[in-house]
């Protein structure tokens, strides 16, 4: 995916700083388009000087002026500050004084950021170049982590030891669109492992997400036990399917047709947006999310859209064909007409393929929908989530029923977020939800559970009956029926990866 960024840059101090500015901006690996003023920019970049006191004062004045220039703009650009000022006075000390600065860059920060990611995930430059990626493309694909995400790093002296990135996202939770913090880039060098760095960084992440009112957090785990210990729990599965060409469904007559489109097609994005606001658990894709969706995909990826008779987009298919196998990355449809139309399109490749393989994120196996149901399907846990702020989440949750004669006490434990530890009284009046944190002594027949179990239950991944039978809910049995009536039966759909 090609990325460009409109950049307004200022270099202070000696001529060497201008060279450093070009080098540092070049190391970002993104195609920069120079602009003449901050109001045209997506990135305002200041390379500072602090060689002598007057230079330091000039740097601070320039930053303050930039803050004033961009404060009232309709779309505020990212403000990044680099150079001697950062190296001399350190980002952790400067940030509280100038919180409007989005990114403080020591000259070595980006290189360390990239190096740690590659080391932790065992991806070498040589390997990526062999698959067709240039060094600049590798850096460019990682740029959104720094520019769009909230990045926390743990330094040992000048050495980056551990890091975490939070992406600002949105997700549909039972029809309510909630702010969501997407956790990615969780990495620690082995020599610093076992010291609790990631644990402490994650605690800081939760504080940040709470401040930003990101009521729930999602992540794609590399270790389920590791994140479970910090309160995350599985909330969605990935099902894969494989069927032979002879098992493809019979053609169904539909009034519309399928058209192949560009990967950046607005119709494709609009279909997903309409799908996401209707489908529980689905993430709404902003520009960053779409960038992550296509990241690392090969150049042969194809998008096709099903259009109704009136040329209204009703579904899409993202796929590629390799070695006579039709690979489905994702199929999204808004009604049965679109589903039939998209499967008709796949079946039309009968003479070109011997097999169809794909991913299914609906939580329901596909076999029941085929005439020949003897297809191969697998299931594996895919994404984890955790509630960031229990009280605010309970208030925002779209309960299936709101009985005014009911009082529920949830007694919650949370290993990281101390504000979630305690007893929460939940009740309703005039169809409005109320939630208060109360003294444990006030609780009558409380439902005792950890924050991960509460997340899995309210997200619909596991039903109260299942959780009770498996000792994940400590409560009187009569609560099972009540909770079953309060919580929707929708299974979460989550197909993104970051």
């Amino acid at each position: 995916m090609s990325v460009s960024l409109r950049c307004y840059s200022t270099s202070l101090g000696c001529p060497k700083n201008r060279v450093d500015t070009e080098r540092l901006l070049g190391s970002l690996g993104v195609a920069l388009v120079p602009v003449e003023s901050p109001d045209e920019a997506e990135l305002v970049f200041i390379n500072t000087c602090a060689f002598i006191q007057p230079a330091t004062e000039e740097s601070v004045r320039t930053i303050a002026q930039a803050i004033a220039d961009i404060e009232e703009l309709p779309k505020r650009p990212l403000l990044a500050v680099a150079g001697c000022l950062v190296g001399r006075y350190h980002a952790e000390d400067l940030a509280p004084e100038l919180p409007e600065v989005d990114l403080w860059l020591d000259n070595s920060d980006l290189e360390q950021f990239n190096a740690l990611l590659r080391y932790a995930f065992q991806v070498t430059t040589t390997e990526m170049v062999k698959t067709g990626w240039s060094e600049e493309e590798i850096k460019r694909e990682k740029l959104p982590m720094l520019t769009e995400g909230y990045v926390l790093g743990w330094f040992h002296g000048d050495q980056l030891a551990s890091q975490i990135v939070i992406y600002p996202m949105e997700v549909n939770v039972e029809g309510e669109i909630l702010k969501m913090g997407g956790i990615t880039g969780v990495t620690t060098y082995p020599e610093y492992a076992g010291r609790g760095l990631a644990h402490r960084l994650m605690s800081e992440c939760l504080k940040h997400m709470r401040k930003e009112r990101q009521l729930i957090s999602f992540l794609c785990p590399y270790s389920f036990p590791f994140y479970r210990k910090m309160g995350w729990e599985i909330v969605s599965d990935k099902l894969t399917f494989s069927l032979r060409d002879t098992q493809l469904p019979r053609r169904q007559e539909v009034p519309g047709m399928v058209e192949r489109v560009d990967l950046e097609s607005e119709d494709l994005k609009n279909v997903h947006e309409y799908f996401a606001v209707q489908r529980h658990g689905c993430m709404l894709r902003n520009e960053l999310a779409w960038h992550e969706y296509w990241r690392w995909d090969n150049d042969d990826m194809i998008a096709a859209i099903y259009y109704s008779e009136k040329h209204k987009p009703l579904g899409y298919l993202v796929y590629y064909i390799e070695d006579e196998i039709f690979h489905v990355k994702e199929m999204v449809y808004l009604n049965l007409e679109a589903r039939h139309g998209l499967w008709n399109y796949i079946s039309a490749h009968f003479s070109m393929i011997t097999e169809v393989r794909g991913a299914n994120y609906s939580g329901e196996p596909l076999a029941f929908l085929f005439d020949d149901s003897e297809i191969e399907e697998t299931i594996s846990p895919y994404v984890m989530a955790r509630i960031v702020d229990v009280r605010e989440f309970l208030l925002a949750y779209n309960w299936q029923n709101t009985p005014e004669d009911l009082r529920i006490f949830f007694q919650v434990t949370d290993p990281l977020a101390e504000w979630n530890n305690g007893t929460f009284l939940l009740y309703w009046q005039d169809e409005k939800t109320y939630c208060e944190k109360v003294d444990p002594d006030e609780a009558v027949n409380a439902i005792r559970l950890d924050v991960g179990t509460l997340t899995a239950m309210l997200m619909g991944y596991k039903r109260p009956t299942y959780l009770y039978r498996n000792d994940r809910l400590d409560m009187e049995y009569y609560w099972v029926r009540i909770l079953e009536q309060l919580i929707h039966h929708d299974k979460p759909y989550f197909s993104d990866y970051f």
Side-chain angles (χ1 to χ4, degrees):
M1 302 294 291
S2 62
V3 178
S4 64
L5 205 63
R6 297 189 303 277
C7 178
Y8 175 79
S9 65
T10 301
S11 293
L12 304 174
C14 64
K16 179 181 178 297
N17 246 23
R18 289 193 291 274
V19 176
D20 286 344
T21 294
E22 294 177 6
R23 182 189 63 79
L24 191 56
L25 288 175
S27 75
L28 295 178
V30 67
L32 294 175
V33 180
V35 295
E36 298 298 321
S37 65
D39 59 350
E40 302 174 69
E42 295 171 281
L43 169 66
V44 173
F45 182 87
I46 302 171
N47 194 9
T48 60
C49 179
F51 183 65
I52 57 177
Q53 185 60 29
T56 300
E57 292 171 359
E58 182 189 14
S59 293
V60 173
R61 284 197 303 272
T62 303
I63 296 168
Q65 184 60 55
I67 291 169
D69 290 342
I70 67 177
E71 188 175 9
E72 301 300 327
L73 293 178
K75 187 173 182 181
R76 182 187 182 279
L78 181 83
L79 177 57
V81 176
C84 303
L85 185 75
V86 187
R88 183 173 179 180
Y89 294 102
H90 308 296
E92 60 269 27
D93 297 321
L94 292 166
E97 301 299 323
L98 293 164
E100 298 87 354
V101 175
D102 300 293
L103 192 61
W104 296 95
L105 283 173
D106 183 274
N107 290 346
S108 64
D109 283 349
L110 184 62
E111 287 81 358
Q112 291 199 54
F113 180 84
N114 282 331
L116 179 50
L117 281 177
R118 291 188 197 180
Y119 188 93
F121 295 108
Q122 302 176 44
V123 179
T124 67
T125 301
T126 302
E127 289 170 339
M128 299 209 61
V129 169
K130 284 180 180 177
T131 62
W133 288 83
S134 71
E135 176 68 22
E136 292 307 303
E137 286 175 319
I138 295 167
K139 291 178 181 177
R140 183 167 67 236
E141 289 304 308
K142 291 172 182 173
L143 179 66
M145 283 189 170
L146 285 171
T147 58
E148 302 291 338
Y150 179 81
V151 185
L152 280 173
W154 192 283
F155 286 81
H156 180 219
D158 293 330
Q159 173 65 45
L160 179 61
S162 183
Q163 67 190 24
I164 295 178
V165 182
I166 307 172
Y167 281 164
M169 303 292 193
E170 290 183 314
V171 67
N172 181 335
V173 177
E174 298 299 357
E176 299 293 330
I177 307 303
L178 302 183
K179 285 185 176 183
M180 181 265 282
I183 300 292
T184 185
V186 182
T187 44
T188 302
Y189 275 119
E191 57 265 39
Y192 298 101
R195 303 186 185 191
L197 301 188
H199 190 277
R200 280 180 275 180
L201 283 177
M202 200 66 85
S203 294
E204 293 302 315
C205 284
L206 286 167
K207 292 175 185 176
H208 173 79
M209 288 187 284
R210 187 188 189 205
K211 178 182 175 183
E212 295 296 314
R213 292 193 57 79
Q214 294 165 343
L215 301 185
I216 190 166
S217 174
F218 280 65
L219 57 81
C220 299
Y222 66 84
S223 167
F224 290 94
F226 177 78
Y227 291 109
R228 266 206 179 106
K229 287 189 294 185
M230 292 188 284
W232 271 262
E233 188 51 87
I234 303 166
V235 294
S236 184
D237 295 324
K238 178 180 181 180
L239 287 78
T240 61
F241 61 88
S242 173
L243 59 154
R244 301 184 301 276
D245 54 352
T246 55
Q247 294 176 303
L248 287 166
R250 290 176 296 177
R251 179 177 177 80
Q252 301 281 339
E253 288 300 320
V254 292
M257 66 176 294
V258 173
E259 298 178 20
R260 282 178 286 121
V261 299
D262 186 87
L263 298 183
E264 297 292 337
S265 166
E266 286 301 314
D267 283 346
L268 184 147
K269 294 178 180 179
N270 289 339
V271 168
H272 184 270
E273 182 175 4
Y274 196 74
F275 175 80
V277 298
Q278 298 180 79
R279 187 63 187 260
H280 166 61
C282 192
M283 191 173 85
L284 281 72
R285 291 183 188 145
N286 54 19
E287 185 176 348
L288 171 61
W290 277 111
H291 180 88
E292 289 294 308
Y293 182 77
W294 297 118
R295 183 193 286 224
W296 315 130
D297 278 338
N298 64 48
D299 292 335
D300 297 324
M301 196 65 70
I302 301 168
I305 293 179
Y306 176 82
Y307 289 95
S308 70
E309 191 173 18
K310 295 182 178 179
H311 208 257
K312 181 179 179 180
L314 294 177
Y316 69 76
L317 179 69
V318 178
Y319 70 98
Y320 67 96
I321 301 173
E322 186 176 64
D323 298 329
E324 299 185 332
I325 299 173
F326 193 107
H327 296 268
V328 177
K329 176 181 170 76
E330 186 178 29
M331 180 189 291
V332 166
Y333 46 84
L334 304 180
N335 57 23
L336 286 179
E337 176 191 331
R339 176 166 73 84
H340 290 319
L342 292 171
W343 275 108
N344 286 349
Y345 177 75
I346 295 175
S347 297
H349 292 78
F350 179 84
S351 62
M352 301 168 54
I353 62 175
T354 59
E355 185 182 354
V356 177
R357 296 178 188 170
N360 165 26
Y361 302 93
S362 69
E364 293 289 349
L366 293 178
F368 184 78
L369 302 176
F370 291 100
D371 292 332
D372 185 349
S373 296
E374 199 173 342
I375 68 173
E376 182 179 327
E377 295 190 83
T378 65
I379 183 170
S380 56
Y382 184 59
V383 71
M384 301 182 85
R386 62 114 72 216
I387 294 170
V388 173
D389 190 316
V390 168
R391 180 180 178 274
E392 294 300 321
F393 189 89
L394 292 175
L395 286 170
Y397 188 77
N398 182 20
W399 300 92
Q400 186 166 245
N401 295 300
T402 56
E404 296 194 5
D405 59 343
L406 184 65
R407 298 288 186 272
I408 303 178
F409 293 93
F410 286 110
Q411 206 164 81
V412 182
T413 57
D414 189 321
L416 284 188
E418 81 282 351
W419 56 86
N420 288 334
N421 284 310
T423 303
F424 298 86
L425 168 61
L426 182 71
Y427 60 98
W428 297 269
Q429 288 181 0
D430 299 323
E431 298 186 352
K432 183 178 179 180
T433 303
Y434 293 86
C435 184
E436 303 169 6
K437 197 169 186 180
V438 299
D439 190 289
D441 293 338
E442 297 180 32
V444 179
N445 294 330
I447 300 170
R448 290 169 288 277
L449 73 174
D450 59 63
V451 70
T453 301
L454 181 64
T455 304
M457 180 173 70
L458 295 184
M459 287 301 296
Y461 180 69
K462 294 299 180 186
R463 300 302 305 169
T465 301
Y466 175 90
L467 294 169
Y468 177 80
R469 288 175 178 171
N470 286 277
D471 292 330
R472 294 292 293 269
L473 294 176
D474 182 7
M475 62 185 187
E476 297 293 334
Y477 179 72
Y478 70 85
W479 281 117
V480 172
R481 179 180 58 83
I482 296 171
L483 290 175
E484 288 285 358
Q485 293 173 346
L486 288 173
I487 298 169
H488 294 268
H489 284 70
D490 303 316
K491 290 193 173 182
Y493 177 103
F494 195 93
S495 61
D496 289 87
Y497 184 88
F498 44 79

